[in-house]
Amino acid sequence: NAGVTQTPKFQVLKTGQSMTLQCAQDMNHEYMSWYRQDPGMGLRLIHYSVGAGITDQGEVPNGYNVSRSTTEDFPLRLLSAAPSQTSVYFCASSYSGGQGYTFGSGTRLTVV
Amino acid sequence: GNSVTQMEGPVTLSEEAFLTINCTYTATGYPSLFWYVQYPGEGLQLLLKATKADDKGSNKGFEATYRKETTSFHLEKGSVQVSDSAVYFCAALGVGGGSQGNLIFGKGTKLSVKP
């Protein structure tokens, strides 16, 4: 099993550009989430999904969109990148939440 | 709402010292609790968990006990090694509302262990 795979690992964007961060898992997990990690802030939930076709907003959803067309994939779209979105982004998945989440290795995004 | 508070770092210890990282939570009900570890440049790895009061999670010499009375889940290790240097995150599984089924994290504690 590959676990949770995130691509790309690094990305530099110009302000106003759009892009999609990819996340895929091969564990047949229903729950998937996106977090951003900023210094001194811990991890904050952006969007999450409890199954294909179902998504919802987390703590910091503004400027991001998600969709969940399959169980395996949960892409995160930045609509118009801003310097405030410079961060490390983590995707995570879980069978039910209660057993904990498996995290990807992260995408380091810089917006200039 | 649900929240997790953990002691701020950084924490610097000598090898073989005793480690405690404090963690308390605020939640409706009794959420599952977790400790995650993040090594430099990597993602988060589940270190240990406890799903109900008085449960003790343990792994790699680390332990934490779910204390309902004090709403705490402190991480301990009797003898740290240089290889334990990392950032440690306490987390609670959200109960109710918009956090249902998702992890709520503390801000992390950076541990540095010197030889």
Side-chain angles (χ1 to χ4, degrees):
Chain A
N1 286 347
V4 179
T5 302
Q6 290 185 239
T7 56
K9 292 190 181 300
F10 301 94
Q11 183 71 50
V12 178
L13 288 179
K14 295 182 178 179
T15 298
Q17 287 185 316
S18 63
M19 78 160 295
T20 299
L21 279 63
Q22 301 291 346
C23 175
Q25 52 90 9
D26 61 358
M27 299 171 283
N28 202 31
H29 285 170
E30 293 293 332
Y31 287 56
M32 296 187 75
S33 307
W34 276 102
Y35 291 87
R36 60 177 289 172
Q37 183 180 24
D38 301 294
M41 301 292 291
L43 281 84
R44 293 180 292 170
L45 182 66
I46 304 171
H47 285 284
Y48 64 98
S49 169
V50 298
I54 306 169
T55 64
D56 209 342
Q57 296 180 352
E59 179 185 358
V60 288
N62 291 342
Y64 308 95
N65 272 356
V66 292
S67 60
R68 184 98 178 267
S69 57
T70 67
T71 299
E72 295 78 18
D73 300 298
F74 191 42
L76 178 72
R77 298 182 185 84
L78 278 69
L79 309 174
S80 177
S84 61
Q85 294 178 304
T86 294
S87 187
V88 181
Y89 292 84
F90 288 101
C91 179
S93 74
S94 177
Y95 178 72
S96 66
Q99 298 305 309
Y101 278 74
T102 300
F103 281 78
S105 58
T107 296
R108 184 174 294 273
L109 175 68
T110 301
V111 182
V112 298
Chain B
N2 302 325
S3 65
V4 174
T5 302
Q6 63 182 102
M7 64 184 285
E8 295 187 15
V11 174
T12 302
L13 296 173
S14 298
E15 207 165 23
E16 300 184 1
F18 184 86
L19 168 71
T20 299
I21 301 178
N22 291 338
C23 172
T24 58
Y25 69 90
T26 302
T28 304
Y30 303 105
S32 295
L33 300 173
F34 306 86
W35 277 100
Y36 280 82
V37 59
Q38 184 180 34
Y39 298 103
E42 298 184 10
L44 278 73
Q45 301 175 25
L46 178 63
L47 181 60
L48 53 84
K49 67 178 186 288
T51 58
K52 61 183 186 296
D54 299 326
D55 267 2
K56 177 184 284 188
S58 61
N59 186 27
K60 300 180 180 179
F62 291 89
E63 293 183 339
T65 300
Y66 192 141
R67 302 289 188 195
K68 181 176 66 175
E69 301 80 9
T70 54
T71 63
S72 64
F73 193 56
H74 305 323
L75 182 68
E76 296 181 336
K77 187 174 185 182
S79 176
V80 295
Q81 305 301 311
V82 173
S83 57
D84 294 327
S85 298
V87 180
Y88 293 81
F89 291 94
C90 184
L93 192 70
V95 178
S99 59
Q100 178 74 31
N102 286 292
L103 291 175
I104 301 160
F105 285 92
K107 294 185 177 181
T109 302
K110 183 176 182 180
L111 171 66
S112 296
V113 181
K114 306 298 184 185

